[in-house]
Amino acid sequence: MFFFTDKNGERIKYDTESIIALHSNVATPSYDYVVEEVENGRRVVLDKNLNPRSINIRFLLKAFDFHDTYLLRDELYQFLSSNDELYFHESALPHKRWKVILNGEVMGEKGYSHASYDISLKAVNGFAETLGTSLDLQNRKEWDVNLWSWGMGLEWDKEYRYEHSSNTFTIENIGNLVIDPREHELEITIKAAASSYLEIRNDTTGDIYRYNGSLTTNDVLVLKGIRSLKNGISVFKNTNKKLLTLGIGSNQFTVTGGTIKSISFNFRFLYM
């Protein structure tokens, strides 16, 4: 079983009870590999990029008569193609979503008053993401908040913190993919006092971000994707042009050059 939501996380319902979701299958991950040929003709894999994934789903159309099956088919097609952002969820793992586009369809077994309808979707990013963000996880009051479930890498009794007020701290990436702001949602919000620079180092990955300039605790420095904004104004030219990624698991951070008043990391967890 499966269902769909829109970009706001609202469940999208079919206009009729005659369209029934049956089953689905998410294809295994595949990659484009970056290969370099070295001495003696050997080839070394330098990097790999996750490809889009196909998701095959099947509906049952319960029609009034033979002609009605085609009307239901058109209604289903309109449903799947009319949303600007469409997210697919497996009912067994409802708190993970796949951003999808319609990739193809074919009428399956057909009778006088019913038909199976097979549809191919494409998960354009190649991964699933959580409904909630890291700050949602930090601020939860109970587990039953319709955002989290088993199979997400969570330790149920562990306290997860994504906002800190010290110069050394840990950020947990409970997903099974690296968070890279060039490709994924990542917003880091910083309030700090610094006289001439502020440097943030992910000791786990080796990434170093440096802002060259002064900060007061009334300033807000935001790293959003590849952008650096100080009080809403771009200061990218005043940085070392580097970005911070989050490796899988625990990421140990150290800040130098100033004193952190608060620093928060907000992102969605990603899964293959």
Side-chain angles (χ1 to χ4, degrees), residues 3 89-97 131 146 149 152:
F3 62 93
H89 302 247
E90 295 174 296
S91 298
L93 301 169
H95 304 116
K96 295 179 182 178
R97 68 182 189 180
L131 292 179
N146 205 33
S149 63
M152 289 185 163

Side-chain angles (χ1 to χ4, degrees), residues 141-181:
K141 300 302 180 184
E142 299 290 343
W143 280 112
D144 186 17
V145 292
N146 205 33
L147 292 176
W148 313 104
S149 63
W150 295 107
M152 289 185 163
L154 291 167
E155 296 180 31
W156 296 103
D157 296 328
K158 184 173 182 176
E159 181 181 12
Y160 292 91
R161 304 299 303 175
Y162 295 94
E163 185 171 9
H164 298 272
S165 56
S166 65
N167 280 41
T168 57
F169 53 88
T170 301
I171 297 295
E172 297 283 350
N173 176 9
I174 64 170
N176 57 25
L177 284 175
V178 171
I179 305 296
D180 188 330

Side-chain angles (χ1 to χ4, degrees), residues 13 26 33 61 68 108 119 122 133 146 149 159 176 217 244 254:
K13 296 182 178 180
V26 178
Y33 292 92
L61 308 183
D68 195 33
I119 292 180
K122 181 178 288 186
T133 68
N146 205 33
S149 63
E159 181 181 12
N176 57 25
T217 53
L244 296 170
T254 303

Side-chain angles (χ1 to χ4, degrees), residues 186-200:
L186 176 59
E187 184 169 328
I188 306 171
T189 303
I190 306 150
K191 289 186 177 181
S195 59
S196 60
Y197 78 94
L198 190 76
E199 187 171 280
I200 306 169

Side-chain angles (χ1 to χ4, degrees), residues 1 38 51 57 68 70-71 73 76 90 151 201 220 240 258:
M1 298 289 288
V38 295
N51 288 323
I57 58 178
D68 195 33
Y70 289 95
L71 297 178
R73 178 204 62 184
L76 180 59
E90 295 174 296
R201 179 186 179 95
V220 180
N240 63 344

Side-chain angles (χ1 to χ4, degrees), residues 102-153:
L102 189 60
N103 196 41
E105 67 284 336
V106 61
M107 185 73 80
E109 178 187 352
K110 196 170 188 302
Y112 178 76
S113 61
H114 75 277
S116 64
Y117 195 51
D118 297 325
I119 292 180
S120 174
L121 305 172
K122 181 178 288 186
V124 292
N125 296 321
F127 56 78
E129 64 183 21
T130 53
L131 292 179
T133 68
S134 53
L135 291 182
D136 292 325
L137 178 60
Q138 171 183 287
N139 296 326
R140 74 190 190 281
K141 300 302 180 184
E142 299 290 343
W143 280 112
D144 186 17
V145 292
N146 205 33
L147 292 176
W148 313 104
S149 63
W150 295 107
M152 289 185 163

